[in-house]
Amino acid sequence: MMKPVPQKEIQHRLKQLSEACKKSGMRMTHQRMEIFREVASTAEHPNADTIFHRVRERLPSVSHDTVYRTLASLEELGLVSRVDPVKGGARYDANCDKHHHYICTQCGSITDIYMQNEPSLPEGIENLGDVESLHLQVRGICHNCKTN
Amino acid sequence: MMKPVPQKEIQHRLKQLSEACKKSGMRMTHQRMEIFREVASTAEHPNADTIFHRVRERLPSVSHDTVYRTLASLEELGLVSRVDPVKGGARYDANCDKHHHYICTQCGSITDIYMQNEPSLPEGIENLGDVESLHLQVRGICHNCKTN
DNA sequence: GTCACTGCAAATAATTTGCAAAGCA
DNA sequence: TGCTTTGCAAATTATTTGCAGTGAC
């Protein structure tokens, strides 16, 4: 269905995690590693509960709140980003390339999209404040939902 | 602080509500009118709870769940739109002009922004599915937070 | 050894639902 | 009158927090 993340990319991301932990004084725990691996291994933008259940298969003692706390730290490190879909809880993404999202309003699937031309900043935005980031969501009904 | 919505515009929006109710078979109740008026009277994108408290001042018996249900119907009618901020619950907006949002990641304030050039659709989006709408969020720290 | 991290349990926030009564068309 | 809508209460869902024990460095 969705293109899997290549092994090489997963390894690269895990290496970044290890470096980021070292640099920031965070500890590289088994849980943190497995939770990040789970997000880094898929492009489907799982939510916290999905991540919890998948990690649990390998690490049966992991708890729900550790997943939330870990995702929050990973977000602070800039290793995962949170996507707020139209409905339902937050979804997570370890793709650090500049990209945007296509969200199916029917099934809720989230797909990374890349722009040829990044949207320009609206004129006068500097009157409002700093610009840290720019997020574009394209919403619609995906082909999969259309045909089913 | 934020530019107030002109009386004329509020009246226009209320008229649209009345027409939309007639057309769709929805009934024009006192609660629905007041809840919509509350959203239509401000540009600050209040959340459900804020709307609840404000409406309550004029209509003391209104309940929390009626506010949620009403906002959901108004959204279906296309009279209000929901904005999902970075953190916290959904926020509501009765501005029907095509616009986007600046969100302060510190205080959570949401400001409408207008683009000179709408962002173009990414090439190949038609391979994913239909495009219903396009939402741009610009995030940063607003001047107000910067100076305080 | 120290301090960050974890699991547990419980709290909180945000939203939804079932149902009988009330009210608009 | 008939069907939508409301208020109440309770249930759910999503997420957060306090705390004592555990583990990485």
Side-chain angles (χ1 to χ4, degrees):
Chain A
M1 192 85 279
M2 201 169 284
K3 229 183 288 180
V5 178
Q7 270 304 317
K8 198 175 160 182
E9 174 63 18
I10 301 177
Q11 292 311 319
H12 173 65
R13 291 178 182 178
L14 283 167
K15 198 174 158 195
Q16 289 189 311
L17 169 64
S18 135
E19 281 164 14
C21 281
K22 213 165 291 172
K23 198 174 299 179
S24 67
M26 279 182 175
R27 292 174 184 171
M28 184 57 169
T29 65
H30 198 184
Q31 290 90 331
R32 185 163 290 166
M33 171 118 167
E34 292 308 318
I35 289 167
F36 179 69
R37 188 204 302 282
E38 205 53 62
V39 183
S41 303
T42 176
E44 70 182 65
H45 305 77
N47 63 18
D49 195 57
T50 303
I51 296 165
F52 168 68
H53 285 292
R54 291 187 186 162
V55 169
R56 206 146 217 242
E57 287 174 23
R58 279 172 288 134
L59 234 148
S61 73
V62 82
S63 69
H64 224 145
D65 52 308
T66 294
V67 172
Y68 277 104
R69 273 185 290 218
T70 301
L71 289 170
S73 348
L74 293 174
E75 197 186 356
E76 256 177 67
L77 288 180
L79 290 171
V80 305
S81 60
R82 191 205 307 229
V83 185
D84 290 293
V86 187
K87 57 182 298 159
R91 308 268 295 261
Y92 294 88
D93 187 359
N95 178 359
C96 291
D97 297 343
K98 193 173 184 60
H99 68 281
H100 300 280
H101 294 110
Y102 177 78
I103 300 189
C104 175
T105 52
Q106 184 123 83
C107 69
S109 67
I110 299 180
T111 312
D112 290 342
I113 55 185
Y114 296 88
M115 306 289 283
Q116 294 74 52
N117 309 300
E118 282 298 319
S120 54
L121 287 174
E123 212 173 273
I125 191 83
E126 60 279 1
N127 299 326
L128 295 176
D130 266 12
V131 174
E132 277 168 3
S133 61
L134 203 130
H135 304 260
L136 183 72
Q137 281 192 1
V138 181
R139 298 184 195 159
I141 298 185
C142 73
H143 282 322
N144 200 34
C145 285
K146 269 276 153 69
T147 51
N148 293 340
Chain B
M1 190 85 281
M2 201 169 282
K3 230 183 287 182
V5 179
Q7 271 304 318
K8 199 176 157 181
E9 174 63 19
I10 300 177
Q11 292 311 320
H12 172 65
R13 290 178 182 178
L14 283 166
K15 198 173 157 197
Q16 289 189 311
L17 168 65
S18 137
E19 282 165 13
C21 281
K22 213 167 291 173
K23 197 175 297 178
S24 67
M26 278 183 177
R27 289 172 188 175
M28 184 58 168
T29 64
H30 198 185
Q31 291 89 330
R32 186 162 289 168
M33 171 119 167
E34 293 307 318
I35 290 167
F36 179 68
R37 187 204 301 281
E38 205 52 62
V39 183
S41 303
T42 176
E44 68 182 66
H45 305 77
N47 63 20
D49 195 56
T50 302
I51 296 166
F52 168 68
H53 286 291
R54 291 188 185 160
V55 170
R56 206 146 217 240
E57 288 174 22
R58 279 173 285 133
L59 234 150
S61 73
V62 81
S63 69
H64 223 145
D65 51 307
T66 295
V67 173
Y68 277 104
R69 273 186 290 217
T70 302
L71 289 170
S73 343
L74 293 174
E75 198 186 354
E76 254 176 69
L77 288 182
L79 291 171
V80 305
S81 61
R82 191 205 307 229
V83 185
D84 290 293
V86 186
K87 55 182 298 160
R91 309 269 294 264
Y92 295 86
D93 187 0
N95 176 358
C96 291
D97 297 343
K98 193 173 184 60
H99 68 281
H100 300 280
H101 295 108
Y102 177 77
I103 300 188
C104 175
T105 52
Q106 184 123 83
C107 68
S109 67
I110 299 180
T111 312
D112 290 343
I113 57 185
Y114 296 88
M115 305 290 284
Q116 295 74 49
N117 309 300
E118 281 297 321
S120 54
L121 286 174
E123 212 174 274
I125 191 84
E126 61 278 1
N127 298 326
L128 294 176
D130 266 10
V131 173
E132 278 169 1
S133 61
L134 201 130
H135 304 261
L136 183 71
Q137 282 192 0
V138 181
R139 297 184 195 159
I141 298 185
C142 73
H143 282 322
N144 201 34
C145 285
K146 268 276 153 66
T147 53
N148 295 338

